[in-house]
Amino acid sequence: DSGKEAAKADDKTAAKGDEKVTKPKPAVPVTIDFENLGQRIVALPIPPENYGGVFAGKEGQLFLEQYPVVDISGGPPKFDVVRFDLEKRKVEPVAKGVSQFYLSSDGEKMLVRSGKSWAIHPSDKASSGSEGALDVASMQIYVDPPAEWRQMYDEVWRIERDFLYDPHFHGLDLAAAKKAYRPYLAGVGSRDDLTYLFEEMTGNISLGHTFVRRGDRPPVDAVKVGLLGADYAVENGRYRITHIIQGENWNPDLRAPLTEPGVDVHEGDYLLAVNGVPVQAPNDVYSYFQNTAGVQTTIRVGPSPDGTGARNVTVVPIDSESHLRKLAWIDANRRKVDALSGGRLAYVYLPDTAGGGYTNFNRYFFSQVGKEGAVIDERFNHGGDLADYIVDYLGRKPMSRVMSREGEDYTEPVGAIFGPKVMIINQFSGSGGDALPWYFRKASVGTLVGTRTWGGLVGIGNYPTLIDGGTITAPRWAIYGLSGQWEVENQGIPPDVEVEQDPKLVREGHDPQLERAVAVALDDLKNHPPQTFPRPAYPVYQHPLPSGQ
């Protein structure tokens, strides 16, 4: 409730010599009536959509961002903006397919971005065409970098002072540190120098997650190199395709160019030419694919280095193989665990404890329900959230059995694997990747195998942006154990069974940590076989029936 109606501003001016002084507007009194506040919440007649933002416009107006339920377009998410008018009691479109939206404080104007174009429109009508377009290409801002650097130097220390969770800064005298490092500003000659200075000076706080990011650097033209999702070997002066990575061609992020429908390329083929240019070793094979990412490209392949039996094939290269190669690594691990355990163990990889880890867990864990045990791999887990959800599911216990006239009996809860769990960790698991094995151990879910985790369990977020667009973090949330100890930050989580990745064995195709995790789980299965639950006999009750005539 806004309480009393805002008082009108007194716009009279008082003459003072040759100057006119405008009286400031009085503050608007605001009171909140908390009694029965929950009963005054009403539903607006707004259609159900996937809304990602709500903004207050002029009196009686709301602006809402509508996102698609599933976005497969790639790149920054695009959304539509609609306006709800309380008087008209309906939703009207304002802008479609935008990536950024801002509303002026008075609700009169809106700034929208579509692709690389920006435009300003009145908020009371839908945007259209090039109306209100801004010529951002000709905009220039003249800056004095050394002056910016001096301002940012002070700003960084202010952010650490005001946001760090520890008001004593881990014992660091912040004012003394600021004074001690200031002389180095005179030697800063680039944004990279400044970033290095920020990293050095904030490192004295002795705390993880003090990140220095981005900033105003000279633009560098990048050349996108197309990739085919393949490995090559040099044979007979040519490049021969030794391995084709399998993807998921229905998934835009996991498209494998050489496995798409209609692409006639096989392992063992020679790559003879790209867009008519002969491919010869020892020239870098990737040099032939400059500016081909996302573009139809003709490659010539064949079974012989001299071109005998060669054929032209049209492919669309991708600009990164990282997702493909990670998927291939995950699937290879899953197959290895299945083979080593005789199909008894599930394998689930968790790349983080945010969206990727959540998606992976739901996809791989529940599809393998019914296995006797599980290997949970969180190596290289770069964190995100505190994944208590995953630990809760891993620790589920049998509650009952269910039977019917047909089919096998099953155990409730059905979304569970009740046998031994082994989690693989390494020194590159951090943040939420520290918390996950920590919670795993605290909940007595299973055994940790590998090497000690990174040891960086604090939370960051929501800081002022530096004047050149860069950022600095000051951890604002710290996480400690129930006994009053800092159990993880700067310590990490040690494994129960320590296993290093022996380089020789890795080169030979082994994964010592994964193989040991399987052995530990199988040994646990041997010592603690899966529980069996006897089915009771069908109940027999006494049924006194009425006697006949």
Side-chain angles (χ1 to χ4, degrees):
D1 291 359
S2 60
K4 297 179 180 179
E5 182 179 352
K8 294 183 178 179
D10 183 358
D11 58 356
K12 295 181 179 180
T13 58
K16 185 180 179 181
D18 293 333
E19 300 178 353
K20 289 185 177 181
V21 180
T22 302
K23 291 182 179 180
K25 296 180 180 180
V28 178
V30 177
T31 59
I32 302 175
D33 181 6
F34 287 101
E35 187 174 356
N36 295 321
L37 182 64
Q39 298 305 309
R40 297 196 296 276
I41 298 172
V42 296
L44 297 177
I46 296 174
E49 295 284 352
N50 184 25
Y51 294 109
V54 180
F55 307 91
K58 292 184 289 187
E59 185 176 350
Q61 291 185 346
L62 288 177
F63 290 78
L64 304 100
E65 295 175 349
Q66 290 182 351
Y67 287 81
V69 176
V70 177
D71 186 2
I72 61 172
S73 61
K78 295 181 180 179
F79 54 88
D80 299 336
V81 181
V82 297
R83 180 183 59 247
F84 172 75
D85 190 290
L86 190 59
E87 187 173 319
K88 297 178 182 178
R89 301 183 70 80
K90 67 177 185 178
V91 168
E92 299 173 318
V94 171
K96 288 186 173 295
V98 303
S99 55
Q100 289 179 267
F101 168 78
Y102 302 93
L103 194 65
S104 62
S105 58
D106 60 6
E108 294 286 347
K109 300 285 187 180
M110 58 184 182
L111 173 65
V112 296
R113 180 182 182 181
S114 299
K116 295 183 178 180
S117 301
W118 292 84
I120 296 178
H121 305 284
S123 65
D124 58 357
K125 66 177 185 177
S127 62
S128 60
S130 60
E131 180 184 359
L134 300 176
D135 183 13
V136 294
S138 62
M139 291 182 179
Q140 292 183 328
I141 299 175
Y142 292 92
V143 300
D144 180 354
E148 284 193 344
W149 298 338
R150 289 191 295 272
Q151 189 278 337
M152 286 190 285
Y153 181 86
D154 292 332
E155 182 71 4
V156 164
W157 285 112
R158 279 193 291 267
I159 290 172
E160 299 301 325
R161 179 197 67 193
D162 295 342
F163 290 93
L164 200 73
Y165 80 92
D166 177 8
H168 307 101
F169 317 110
H170 286 193
L172 176 67
D173 185 334
L174 223 62
K178 179 181 178 181
K179 181 179 180 181
Y181 279 94
R182 184 177 290 278
Y184 291 99
L185 268 174
V188 169
S190 68
R191 185 48 160 92
D192 287 333
D193 288 350
L194 186 70
T195 297
Y196 181 78
L197 175 60
F198 288 168
E199 291 172 343
E200 284 292 309
M201 67 192 197
T202 56
N204 286 276
I205 300 173
S206 301
L207 184 65
H209 290 71
T210 50
F211 300 131
V212 184
R213 292 169 173 156
R214 297 190 299 275
D216 191 8
R217 292 180 171 86
V220 177
D221 292 335
V223 177
K224 280 194 174 183
V225 176
L227 301 168
L228 298 181
D231 295 329
Y232 307 91
V234 176
E235 295 181 17
N236 302 308
R238 296 281 195 176
Y239 282 97
R240 194 171 194 177
I241 299 172
T242 59
H243 178 61
I244 294 175
I245 304 172
Q246 302 296 307
E248 295 174 349
N249 292 323
W250 50 268
N251 185 336
D253 291 332
L254 293 169
R255 187 173 61 82
L258 298 185
T259 69
E260 292 189 285
V263 176
D264 184 20
V265 179
H266 311 284
E267 293 179 355
D269 282 340
Y270 285 91
L271 178 63
L272 303 170
V274 177
N275 285 335
V277 179
V279 176
Q280 300 279 356
N283 296 336
D284 190 328
V285 66
Y286 300 108
S287 67
Y288 295 94
F289 288 94
Q290 294 185 56
N291 296 312
T292 63
V295 179
Q296 283 194 343
T297 302
T298 301
I299 61 174
R300 190 164 181 79
V301 296
S304 304
D306 61 4
T308 303
R311 59 199 180 278
N312 288 333
V313 180
T314 300
V315 297
V316 181
I318 53 180
D319 61 6
S320 173
E321 293 176 347
S322 61
H323 293 304
L324 276 182
R325 293 188 179 274
K326 178 178 285 186
L327 177 66
W329 181 74
I330 293 171
D331 280 348
N333 288 346
R334 180 177 54 81
R335 289 191 294 270
K336 178 175 284 189
V337 168
D338 192 68
L340 291 174
S341 69
R344 302 177 72 188
L345 300 178
Y347 171 82
V348 181
Y349 179 68
L350 303 174
D352 55 48
T353 55
Y358 179 86
T359 300
N360 263 34
F361 182 77
N362 289 341
R363 175 179 181 177
Y364 287 97
F365 181 81
F366 293 113
S367 64
Q368 297 178 84
V369 163
K371 299 282 189 179
E372 297 177 43
V375 173
I376 311 299
D377 191 349
E378 74 116 39
R379 291 175 294 181
F380 311 100
N381 184 303
H382 55 86
D385 299 316
L386 298 175
D388 52 290
Y389 160 82
I390 290 175
V391 173
D392 287 346
Y393 261 94
L394 292 176
R396 299 181 95 182
K397 304 296 184 184
M399 305 299 284
S400 69
R401 295 279 284 172
V402 180
M403 60 84 66
S404 67
R405 287 282 293 273
E406 297 83 20
E408 293 185 357
D409 298 1
Y410 63 90
T411 304
E412 283 284 356
V414 293
I417 297 174
F418 300 113
K421 317 292 190 314
V422 177
M423 180 173 286
I424 316 176
I425 59 178
N426 69 3
Q427 66 272 29
F428 301 106
S429 306
S431 192
D434 283 303
L436 182 58
W438 185 37
Y439 288 3
F440 184 88
R441 171 175 284 157
K442 288 167 74 73
S444 301
V445 175
T447 305
L448 299 176
V449 171
T451 54
R452 183 184 292 267
T453 61
W454 176 48
L457 188 55
V458 288
I460 57 176
N462 301 322
Y463 306 99
T465 302
L466 300 179
I467 194 172
D468 73 341
T471 60
I472 183 82
T473 61
R476 9 183 1 169
W477 299 281
I479 301 163
Y480 59 90
L482 302 181
S483 61
Q485 300 291 326
W486 300 107
E487 298 180 17
V488 185
E489 178 65 31
N490 284 330
Q491 296 188 55
I493 304 300
D496 300 307
V497 179
E498 186 164 2
V499 180
E500 294 280 355
Q501 289 292 71
D502 186 299
K504 178 178 181 295
L505 293 176
V506 173
R507 285 197 302 270
E508 293 172 352
H510 291 278
D511 185 334
Q513 292 173 340
L514 182 70
E515 292 165 9
R516 185 64 178 275
V518 171
V520 169
L522 290 177
D523 189 56
D524 200 347
L525 271 175
K526 180 180 178 181
N527 295 327
H528 305 92
Q531 283 182 278
T532 59
F533 305 95
R535 180 200 278 193
Y538 292 109
V540 177
Y541 301 106
Q542 297 296 322
H543 301 285
L545 301 175
S547 58
Q549 294 296 329

